[in-house]
């Protein structure tokens, strides 16, 4: 769906992005991660041509983006940035409708779209007429996501969208994004410097260093088999714990009876980290229950050590 | 709309108040020395106020005619190298005392309106210029980036994002200019042009406190109403700048 071919961008002789080739298939949430200045944000801006490449091409559904008018290209690509960049002088509804208005949608269609999107990102309809300044940071970024999705683009670019939020709100928005992605299935390129966020959200994670692509693959591959010392150091000593972010209790439980029916019960959907935390708190074993509360397994500390 | 309507309605009220000669006579009589005429009697106060407003309006128009295009140009990519120069020009123009401009203009324009216009224009330029520059150059980079990322460029970007976001600072600058000009236009009679300064200068010449007060109070009322009107204009043009969390 998107193909970056030998993409480079130099600023005054310094390479911000150097020879990056990457293929992102449709419906994938591709994370770009790396330390500050590694070129991940520049790479993102090369995709919607806010920055033009020095060499190389970007192909969108097989079409070289250099052959398209940049404004028209950007209206087809959703863009969400850190600190939202919402227009303070427009109401929530007007902010969301910016691109549809640019594309000349009739008023009724715009209003319908705004309503549908506010529902999708779980914003109260009453907020439609408020200005961004009256919203919390989390609500503002929900508007930012709704605005990016307004014209139903196939591709969504997100540049550290949750970095400025407090940890609780950040986790809520990460969950909201996963939930939205499950419903609308966009191709998303998501820039972050937070490994935990990358593992939690990414279908694939591309690690960058000094403008170059170091490693690209599913989170588990990056966590288990970092290709070099830099990748191992970036992933960090907690990589085993991070893998848990993508797993639920069901992935680790033992299903052979008998079950410890007297032990505290947890849902099979509970994030594995939370179960681990309760076990580390001194609970020797937990009973795992299914959707209707029936016992389906058990989990103890040693179950995390397997695999 | 409401606040603007309210302040606009105050203008005929001010006009009526300035026309109440008997009331002014009664109010200011205690300030006049025995034998002095209490009120300036060659032209009515209302007529002087009208002349005053006209001078200020024309000068403010000239200020905007220069400040807006110059400020917009200096904040575009093409004019960016001159941004500093334009900023200094605005500041410099306000350091020249209007009285000095009036007398420097005399040999060129002679007595009359042109000299007044020049002095007021020079003196009133800075706040508006500063307002335009501040407004346009402080649009948040994140907002600009988001706008460009959504496919807004050039005139669209200016009209839909930069201009509306510049309005609060811009209008505040214009309001300061307007108030400054209202006060400074009292110097007009020095070069033979009637304004609310006429009774003030006439009163000063013959030591008539009542007439000085007559002009001063009228100018003060006019300045306050001008300021209030422009403030309510800001209020309705930038509803978003008031609502906060």
């Amino acid at each position: 769906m998107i193909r970056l071919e030998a993409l480079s961008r130099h600023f005054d002789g310094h390479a911000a992005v150097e020879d990056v080739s990457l293929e992102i298939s449709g419906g994938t949430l591709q994370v770009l991660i790396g330390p500050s200045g590694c070129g991940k944000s520049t790479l993102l801006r090369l995709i919607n041509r806010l920055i033009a490449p020095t060499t190389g091409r970007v192909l969108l559904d097989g079409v070289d983006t250099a052959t398209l008018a940049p404004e028209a290209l950007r209206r087809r690509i959703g863009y969400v940035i850190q600190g939202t960049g919402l227009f303070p002088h427009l109401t929530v509804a007007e902010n969301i409708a910016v691109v549809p208005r640019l594309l000349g949608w009739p008023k009724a269609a715009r209003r319908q779209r705004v309503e549908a999107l506010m529902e999708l990102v779980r914003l109260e309809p009453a907020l439609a007429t408020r200005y961004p300044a009256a919203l919390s940071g989390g609500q503002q970024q929900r508007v930012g996501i709704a605005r990016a999705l307004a014209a139903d683009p196939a591709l969504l670019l997100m540049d550290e969208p949750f970095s400025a939020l407090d940890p609780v709100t950040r986790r809520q928005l990460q969950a909201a994004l996963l939930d939205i992605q499950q419903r609308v299935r966009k191709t998303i390129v998501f820039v972050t410097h937070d490994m935990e966020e990358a593992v939690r959200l990414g279908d694939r994670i591309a690690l960058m260093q000094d403008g170059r692509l170091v490693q690209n693959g599913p989170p588990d591959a990056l966590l288990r088999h970092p290709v070099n010392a830099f990748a191992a150091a970036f992933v960090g000593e907690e990589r085993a714990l991070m893998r848990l972010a993508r797993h639920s209790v069901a992935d680790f439980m033992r299903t052979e009876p008998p079950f410890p029916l007297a032990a505290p019960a947890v849902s099979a959907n509970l994030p594995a980290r939370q179960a681990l935390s309760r076990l580390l708190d001194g609970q020797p074993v937990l009973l795992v229950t299914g959707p209707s509360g029936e016992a389906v397994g058990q989990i103890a500390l040693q179950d995390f050590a397997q695999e | 709309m409401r606040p603007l309507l309210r302040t606009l309605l105050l203008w005929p009220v001010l006009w009526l108040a300035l026309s109440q000669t008997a009331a002014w006579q009664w109010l200011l009589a205690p300030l006049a020395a025995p034998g002095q005429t209490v009120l300036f009697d060659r032209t009515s106060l209302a007529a002087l106020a009208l002349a005053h407003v006209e001078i200020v309006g024309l000068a403010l128009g000239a200020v905007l005619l220069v400040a807006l295009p110059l400020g917009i140009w200096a904040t575009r990519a093409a004019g960016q190298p001159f941004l500093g120069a334009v900023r200094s020009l605005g500041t410099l123009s306000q350091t020249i005392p209007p009285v000095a401009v009036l007398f420097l203009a005399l040999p060129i324009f002679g007595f009359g309106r042109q000299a007044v216009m020049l002095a007021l224009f020079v003196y009133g330029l800075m706040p508006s210029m500063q307002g335009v520059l501040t407004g346009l150059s402080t649009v948040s980079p994140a907002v600009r980036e988001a706008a460009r990322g959504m496919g807004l460029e050039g005139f669209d970007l200016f009209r839909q994002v930069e201009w509306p976001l510049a309005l609060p600072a811009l209008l505040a600058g214009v309001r300061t200019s307007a108030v400054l000009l209202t006060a400074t236009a009292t110097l007009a009679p020095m070069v033979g042009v009637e304004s609310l300064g006429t009774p003030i200068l006439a009163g000063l010449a013959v030591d008539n406190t009542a007439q000085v007060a007559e002009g001063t109070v009228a100018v003060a009322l006019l300045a306050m109403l001008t300021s209030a009107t422009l403030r309510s204009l800001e209020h309705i043009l930038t509803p978003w700048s008031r609502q906060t969390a």
Side-chain angles (χ1 to χ4, degrees):
Chain A
M1 142 101 234
I2 325 177
R3 250 175 72 180
L4 314 184
E5 289 184 351
L7 215 49
S8 295
R9 170 66 205 207
H10 297 189
F11 294 108
D12 310 318
H14 153 83
V17 169
E18 185 68 26
D19 193 26
V20 171
S21 294
L22 186 64
E23 197 165 324
I24 304 167
S25 50
T28 304
L29 201 163
Q30 169 77 59
V31 168
L32 301 178
I33 196 170
S36 300
C38 71
K40 54 194 191 292
S41 286
T42 306
L43 189 61
L44 197 74
R45 289 184 180 86
L46 287 169
I47 297 175
N48 64 4
R49 288 190 83 80
L50 279 175
I51 300 175
T54 308
T55 55
R57 322 192 283 166
V58 177
L59 300 177
L60 210 64
D61 289 327
V63 180
D64 184 350
T65 56
T67 64
L68 305 170
E71 291 83 34
L73 172 72
R74 286 177 209 144
R75 288 170 198 180
R76 288 176 40 196
I77 300 177
Y79 190 42
V80 185
I81 60 175
Q82 188 184 347
T84 76
L86 291 183
F87 299 137
H89 62 297
L90 300 183
T91 62
V92 166
E94 289 166 343
N95 262 287
I96 296 173
V98 165
V99 177
R101 200 160 45 82
L102 284 174
L103 294 173
W105 289 24
K107 203 171 177 178
R110 296 202 306 253
R111 210 191 47 230
Q112 246 176 12
R113 185 68 184 147
V114 167
E115 279 169 19
L117 283 165
M118 288 187 66
E119 145 98 64
L120 178 72
V121 300
R122 307 219 188 285
L123 281 170
E124 303 235 356
L127 294 177
T129 53
R130 308 287 285 277
Y131 290 101
L135 270 51
S136 72
Q139 288 172 327
Q140 288 183 14
Q141 199 51 287
R142 284 174 196 265
V143 177
I145 294 172
R147 183 174 69 169
L149 290 170
D152 204 18
L155 174 61
L156 199 59
L157 305 180
M158 307 185 79
D159 193 357
E160 306 214 21
F162 308 145
S163 299
L165 302 172
D166 65 83
V168 174
T169 312
R170 189 183 317 166
R171 290 191 69 83
Q172 284 171 353
L173 274 145
Q174 288 166 351
L177 179 65
L178 287 174
D179 173 53
I180 292 167
Q181 171 68 343
Q182 213 151 49
R183 290 193 270 167
V184 298
R185 269 296 148 202
K186 303 289 180 187
T187 307
I188 302 178
V189 186
F190 188 108
V191 166
T192 180
H193 58 255
D194 175 0
M195 192 62 196
E196 206 172 317
E197 183 167 75
V199 172
R200 185 142 190 250
L201 299 179
D203 296 319
R204 295 176 71 83
I205 301 177
L207 175 63
M208 293 182 67
Q209 179 191 21
D210 299 333
R212 289 176 182 278
L213 191 61
V214 175
Q215 183 171 2
N216 181 32
D220 259 5
L222 181 64
L223 290 169
R224 282 201 226 201
H225 310 293
V227 290
N228 60 19
F230 166 77
F234 190 85
V235 166
E237 298 300 328
E238 294 177 33
R239 59 177 178 266
L241 281 177
M242 279 190 192
R243 279 173 48 216
L244 294 182
R246 295 188 66 81
H247 293 282
S248 61
V249 168
D251 298 327
F252 293 94
M253 67 183 180
R254 268 177 295 141
T255 51
E256 314 82 57
F259 300 130
L261 295 173
V266 295
S267 156
N269 303 325
L270 189 76
R273 286 175 70 120
Q274 287 180 35
L276 177 63
S277 172
R278 291 185 61 176
L279 293 168
L280 289 171
D281 255 353
Q283 207 50 249
V285 66
L286 295 166
L287 175 70
V288 182
T289 55
S292 45
E294 78 281 15
V296 293
Q298 59 178 303
I299 191 161
L301 265 183
Q302 66 267 22
D303 298 318
F304 285 99
Q306 65 184 14
E307 275 192 291
Chain B
M1 258 351 237
R2 206 45 70 71
L4 183 62
L5 277 178
R6 225 173 358 223
T7 46
L8 286 180
L9 279 176
L10 282 175
W11 284 91
V13 173
L14 177 67
W15 172 264
L16 276 177
L18 293 176
S19 309
Q20 302 308 308
T21 316
W24 286 83
Q25 176 89 29
W26 178 77
L27 275 172
L28 295 174
L31 293 176
Q36 282 182 334
T37 21
V38 176
L39 298 180
F40 182 77
D41 52 9
R42 261 176 295 152
T43 319
S44 75
L45 195 57
L48 289 173
L50 202 62
H52 198 98
V53 168
E54 195 182 331
I55 299 172
V56 170
L58 286 172
L60 190 64
V63 162
L64 292 181
L65 226 50
V66 171
L68 284 177
L70 201 60
I72 291 170
W73 172 74
T75 49
R76 301 303 93 192
Q80 205 85 48
F82 301 94
L83 180 59
V86 170
R87 216 183 275 279
S88 319
L89 177 78
T91 313
L92 180 74
S93 73
Q94 219 196 8
T95 60
I96 309 172
V99 183
V101 180
L102 276 183
F103 286 101
L104 290 174
L106 274 183
I108 310 166
F109 295 126
F111 273 75
R113 256 205 173 160
Q114 283 157 319
V116 177
M117 283 300 143
L118 181 70
L120 291 186
F121 167 76
V122 169
Y123 199 59
L125 184 61
M126 186 187 89
S128 290
M129 189 84 241
Q130 210 66 39
V132 175
L133 293 178
T134 306
L136 286 172
S137 57
T138 52
V139 173
S140 132
V143 167
R144 204 187 297 260
E145 160 100 5
R148 295 193 59 224
M150 286 189 287
L152 282 164
E153 285 292 343
F155 183 65
D156 280 334
L157 181 64
F158 178 77
R159 192 175 57 87
Q160 297 190 32
V161 178
E162 296 180 296
W163 174 258
L165 289 181
L167 272 184
L170 192 156
L171 291 171
V174 172
R175 179 160 45 86
T176 309
S177 280
V179 171
L180 213 56
L181 291 183
T182 304
T184 314
T186 49
L187 298 177
M190 295 181 97
V191 289
V193 175
E194 282 201 327
S195 78
L196 284 174
T198 308
I200 299 177
L201 291 191
L204 285 174
V206 297
D207 212 5
N208 183 333
T209 314
Q211 289 188 3
V212 174
E214 181 189 4
T216 309
V217 170
V219 167
L221 289 175
L222 190 59
M224 283 193 284
L225 189 50
T226 302
S227 177
T229 306
L230 292 175
R231 206 185 275 279
S232 53
L233 189 67
E234 292 164 37
H235 200 76
I236 62 159
L237 286 180
T238 62
W240 51 275
S241 62
R242 297 190 304 274
Q243 195 180 1
T244 47

